[in-house]
Amino acid sequence: MVGQIIRIHGGFAFIRDPNTGKVWAALRRGKLAEEKILVGDLVEFSPLDEERGVLEKVLPRKTELYRPPVANVEQALLVFAFTEPDPNFKLLDRFLVLSQSAKIKPIICFNKLDLASPGLYQEERRAYEEAGFVFLTVSAKTGQGLEELKRHLSQRVTVLAGPSGVGKSSLLNAIQPGLKLQTAPVSRKTGRGRHTTRLVELLPLDIGGLVVDTPGFTSLDLPDIPPASLSAYFPEIARVGTGCRFSDCLHQAEPGCAVREAVAEGKIPRFRYQHYLVFLSEILERERRRFS
Ligand SMILES: Nc1nc2c(ncn2[C@@H]2O[C@H](COP(=O)(O)OP(=O)(O)OP(=O)(O)O)[C@@H](O)[C@H]2O)c(=O)[nH]1
Ligand SMILES: [Zn+2]
């Protein structure tokens, strides 16, 4: 049978049959004992009885997140609030790069719609939608927009990301009472806070689908992408960039840059372009340090 690991604990992999929701506790067969297994792995297993089974084979991973370590996450719900706290669009754009480069589909979700004055962030929303991103507006408090959010979460494996206080836990709870997000494990690299590494789990949704119980993208370091590839994660820049004079144009100060022209004409939102430049200089700086 094929199932998905939703939890690893005490030497057992807990494997869920996606069709029935039934979970087996499985030990690994001898040769698999050395191989890395991850929560989210799709595996072949043989049930021994109603509760136990043997893990036979790990199927190839479609995606792999490192913090928290989860395989086969399909989409990232990037949660921000209209207010309290105000949205940080640079952080949103960073999440968009992080998720797309991990081949995880981003879904932008603005919460606390009940606190928003009419038309708030309408322009930004249009910018993201025109770039091709899904942009949901919801309120965990009033329930506005939750049906559409459910449609997006149904039958998918989703990780939530977003700053503290935007309502990630409240949204999960509004969708399914009792669902709880764990607080993000403290970064070992920065050493802030306690050094705890929690076990990550996939939580089944009643509407079908699974959510990672720990917020994702807690490390904000941009991935190791070649500078020329950054624009691929800014679809509106990539589209226009095909018209630049130089095919390797990074859209900084090169002559004949169609992107800068489009920004000047208001065809590419200036804030998006500015964030692109910030991320580009981060990537270039890292390359410089590596080669010096
Ligand atoms: N007015 C309003 N308040 C909300 C809404 N959603 C959440 N809140 C409030 O916002 C605060 C933070 O909500 P949480 O769900 O704890 O936010 P979180 O993103 O999980 O925060 P962390 O656990 O710190 O990551 C709480 O006081 C919620 O009651 C909403 O849609 N409207
Ligand atoms: Zn250019």
Side-chain angles (χ1 to χ4, degrees):
M1 289 177 70
V2 172
Q4 189 159 31
I5 299 180
I6 58 169
R7 186 155 58 97
I8 298 174
H9 187 65
F12 288 94
F14 292 82
I15 304 173
R16 183 171 184 272
D17 175 350
N19 298 314
T20 62
K22 189 171 156 44
V23 177
W24 279 265
L27 288 169
R28 308 184 212 184
R29 211 180 262 306
K31 62 181 192 314
L32 262 181
E34 307 287 291
E35 200 180 322
K36 177 174 80 168
I37 58 170
L38 288 177
V39 167
D41 270 333
L42 293 164
V43 297
E44 284 175 10
F45 73 104
S46 312
L48 294 173
D49 56 31
E50 284 303 297
E51 283 159 19
R52 292 173 312 146
V54 178
L55 205 163
E56 308 279 0
K57 186 179 175 194
V58 179
L59 301 177
R61 298 182 179 116
K62 282 176 247 159
T63 67
E64 186 172 344
L65 268 185
Y66 296 96
R67 248 188 287 169
V70 194
N72 299 317
V73 171
E74 297 172 280
Q75 54 185 21
L77 191 71
L78 309 179
V79 184
F80 286 81
F82 276 100
T83 182
E84 298 178 27
D86 286 341
N88 175 341
F89 287 99
K90 189 159 109 188
L91 181 61
L92 168 55
D93 286 345
R94 193 177 288 272
F95 282 144
L96 287 172
V97 172
L98 289 166
S99 54
Q100 293 176 93
S101 63
K103 296 192 163 35
I104 293 171
K105 181 196 168 183
I107 298 173
I108 303 168
C109 179
F110 267 46
N111 186 34
K112 309 201 187 185
L113 183 56
D114 56 291
L115 300 179
S117 52
L120 185 62
Y121 301 123
Q122 196 55 47
E123 267 181 45
E124 287 82 355
R125 178 181 185 172
R126 194 173 313 121
Y128 287 107
E129 287 180 336
E130 278 175 8
F133 298 110
V134 175
F135 195 119
L136 307 177
T137 61
V138 300
S139 168
K141 189 170 173 184
T142 66
Q144 278 169 286
L146 291 187
E147 287 309 312
E148 194 180 359
L149 174 58
K150 281 187 191 173
R151 275 198 293 280
H152 278 91
L153 298 185
S154 169
Q155 312 303 337
R156 297 271 183 280
V157 182
T158 308
V159 68
L160 278 76
S164 181
V166 295
K168 298 182 294 299
S169 288
S170 306
L171 281 174
L172 279 187
N173 240 281
I175 284 170
Q176 186 170 321
L179 271 197
K180 258 209 346 244
L181 266 196
Q182 308 288 338
T183 37
V186 170
S187 161
R188 289 184 165 271
K189 205 160 122 195
T190 60
R192 266 181 267 129
R194 283 169 300 130
H195 286 252
T196 50
T197 35
R198 280 198 45 268
L199 299 168
V200 60
E201 255 186 73
L202 292 181
L203 307 173
L205 297 174
D206 297 340
I207 52 173
L210 299 156
V211 289
V212 182
D213 76 337
T214 312
F217 307 118
T218 47
S219 160
L220 296 178
D221 290 339
L222 291 175
D224 244 331
I225 43 180
S229 301
L230 179 63
S231 63
Y233 308 121
F234 287 79
E236 70 274 53
I237 293 180
R239 280 197 291 269
V240 170
T242 55
C244 295
R245 184 180 307 164
F246 302 112
S247 62
D248 59 352
C249 186
L250 293 178
H251 323 307
Q252 287 180 297
E254 297 90 334
C257 175
V259 169
R260 275 194 307 146
E261 197 179 301
V263 173
E265 290 169 354
K267 290 178 184 153
I268 289 177
R270 190 167 293 276
F271 78 99
R272 289 274 293 162
Y273 176 62
Q274 277 164 350
H275 297 160
Y276 164 82
L277 289 179
V278 170
F279 301 159
L280 181 64
S281 56
E282 274 179 37
I283 292 170
L284 290 171
E285 176 57 30
R286 188 165 55 197
E287 285 213 329
R288 256 195 299 278
R289 265 184 275 129
R290 186 172 304 156
F291 291 115
S292 66

